[in-house]
Amino acid sequence: MLAVRYYGIRDIRIERLPRPVCGPKEVLVKVAYAGICGSDLHIYRKGMFVSSIPETMGHEFSGIVEDVGPGVTGFEPGDHVVGDPRVACGSCPWCRQGKENICPQLSFIGEICPGCFAGYLVLNEDRLLNLPPGLELDRAALIEPLAVALHAAARAGLSSRDTLGIIGAGPVGLLTLLVARPLVEQILVVDRAPARLDMARRLGADRVARELPDVPEQVDAVIEAVGVDATLQGALKLLKPGGRLVLAGLYEESVLVNPNAILEKELKIYGINAYERLDLERAAQAIASGQVDVTPLISRVLPLESAAEAFEILTSQAPDVVKILLSPAGS
Ligand SMILES: [Zn+2]
Ligand SMILES: [Zn+2]
């Protein structure tokens, strides 16, 4: 099978590897679609997260069960599935409460073990979810990033009279817009790229802006989905007194914040890390039922062999591209 392997910063290679085989409790999945995530770009640009080199990248995927190992009870060949790509210790107090996303040892497939940018991958059966009937495999590949958006929106504690600011109209920002749209009164989306703001408008934003408005105290909650100094400072300014800030964008660099901006307005700040299992299940239901239509966010589907091109498109901030899916069909 073909696999996209990370060798170092801006160095990914397509290689032919033996197809993995499943051991006890494991499932072999033929990958149908695999999404490139912001965290894959952090790996590509900065070498973050990856613990061994080379490694097969990727953690967002849908696929079809090809084979099951001894003792597998929940899956059989032909089942359509998506992955829960989190790798946690399973024994710390947080894992035992179902909050594997804040396990101190949390990692992901594609970082600590082989990921899904490949023809096939093997996972323990507890890392897979069966798809609701009728849900197409391409839309299903967005279940994982939608779970992040559901988790972020839940943390923001949104209510119907709220105004919400979303900073960053990338996949997480736009998916959060889709999730939050029915929950709040007004949504402002801020992004530098006009093409992404057009998309935000089409998906239901009431107001869009290329710059963070210099008028302080406008919104009840902000979801910050970029992760740089200017967007954090802007978020603190944008919030009303007593407002809630959810940090959903990963920072590549440290930032300098004046804490008075937080204490004077008694702001509440929440970090979110990935999602809980329930968020994945809710995301699958939300897409399958049509409650959330992720189709406009799938900008391109490229063959696995074009992974390097896809990474270059995404790191060059191509403004009209939101999510690229890699398809290993035939690889
Ligand atoms: Zn992801
Ligand atoms: Zn743990």
Side-chain angles (χ1 to χ4, degrees):
M1 65 171 189
L2 291 184
V4 179
R5 304 186 91 203
Y6 177 79
Y7 273 83
I9 291 172
R10 289 185 188 266
D11 181 5
I12 56 175
R13 303 179 198 171
I14 313 292
E15 294 185 331
R16 197 160 281 283
L17 298 179
R19 185 190 294 187
V21 286
C22 38
K25 299 266 183 204
E26 288 182 339
V27 177
L28 175 69
V29 179
K30 184 175 176 25
V31 178
Y33 296 96
I36 300 179
C37 175
S39 60
D40 298 315
L41 301 180
H42 290 297
I43 295 171
Y44 183 71
R45 275 196 304 249
K46 293 271 175 173
M48 293 164 83
F49 314 126
V50 170
S51 55
S52 72
I53 287 179
E55 187 62 274
T56 302
M57 298 179 73
H59 63 268
E60 299 177 4
F61 72 94
S62 62
I64 301 175
V65 173
E66 180 90 3
D67 191 16
V68 297
V72 169
T73 55
F75 299 90
E76 53 187 47
D79 283 353
H80 287 201
V81 294
V82 289
D84 175 351
R86 300 170 303 161
V87 182
C89 79
S91 56
C92 72
W94 300 279
C95 281
R96 288 205 302 269
Q97 291 168 47
K99 296 182 189 299
E100 289 167 304
N101 58 313
I102 50 171
C103 171
Q105 292 178 46
L106 180 74
S107 186
F108 287 82
I109 67 166
E111 295 170 6
I112 197 171
C113 59
C116 61
F117 293 169
Y120 296 83
L121 85 165
V122 156
L123 285 177
N124 196 287
E125 73 167 324
D126 71 356
R127 299 289 96 187
L128 291 170
L129 288 82
N130 269 308
L131 288 188
L135 175 49
E136 305 88 342
L137 287 162
D138 55 352
R139 290 195 296 147
L142 272 83
I143 288 173
E144 199 262 7
L146 181 62
V148 177
L150 285 168
H151 195 58
R155 271 295 171 280
L158 302 174
S159 71
S160 58
R161 283 203 297 264
D162 277 343
T163 50
L164 170 67
I166 296 173
I167 303 179
V172 170
L174 291 173
L175 286 165
T176 307
L177 168 61
L178 290 175
V179 168
R181 181 61 284 177
L183 304 178
V184 299
E185 181 161 318
Q186 275 251 339
I187 301 181
L188 162 71
V189 176
V190 183
D191 195 290
R192 280 193 301 211
R196 289 189 170 209
L197 294 178
D198 286 348
M199 170 80 87
R201 268 204 193 284
R202 285 202 298 279
L203 297 178
D206 302 285
R207 288 185 294 150
V208 297
R210 288 193 68 187
E211 300 286 333
L212 277 153
D214 220 16
V215 196
E217 298 170 19
Q218 292 204 316
V219 300
D220 301 288
V222 167
I223 293 175
E224 200 282 278
V226 179
V228 298
D229 186 85
T231 54
L232 177 57
Q233 309 286 1
L236 295 174
K237 258 198 217 169
L238 194 60
L239 281 162
K240 290 179 186 173
R244 288 106 56 199
L245 170 60
V246 175
L247 299 179
L250 207 80
Y251 289 75
E252 287 183 349
E253 310 286 347
S254 299
V255 298
L256 195 62
V257 168
N258 180 350
N260 291 343
I262 300 162
L263 65 88
E264 283 167 1
K265 290 200 270 187
E266 293 202 348
L267 301 179
K268 298 171 196 72
I269 302 185
Y270 303 92
I272 62 140
N273 200 17
Y275 39 78
E276 296 172 16
R277 179 78 172 202
L278 201 58
D279 296 310
L280 280 174
E281 288 164 8
R282 286 197 185 122
Q285 282 308 329
I287 298 177
S289 68
Q291 189 192 334
V292 173
D293 181 11
V294 296
T295 316
L297 273 57
I298 302 174
S299 312
R300 291 191 204 171
V301 179
L302 294 174
L304 198 63
E305 294 88 325
S306 303
E309 182 196 331
F311 271 82
E312 279 304 316
I313 292 170
L314 289 167
T315 47
S316 67
Q317 307 271 327
D320 56 331
V321 176
V322 182
K323 185 59 100 176
I324 297 182
L325 300 182
L326 297 174
S327 166
S331 305

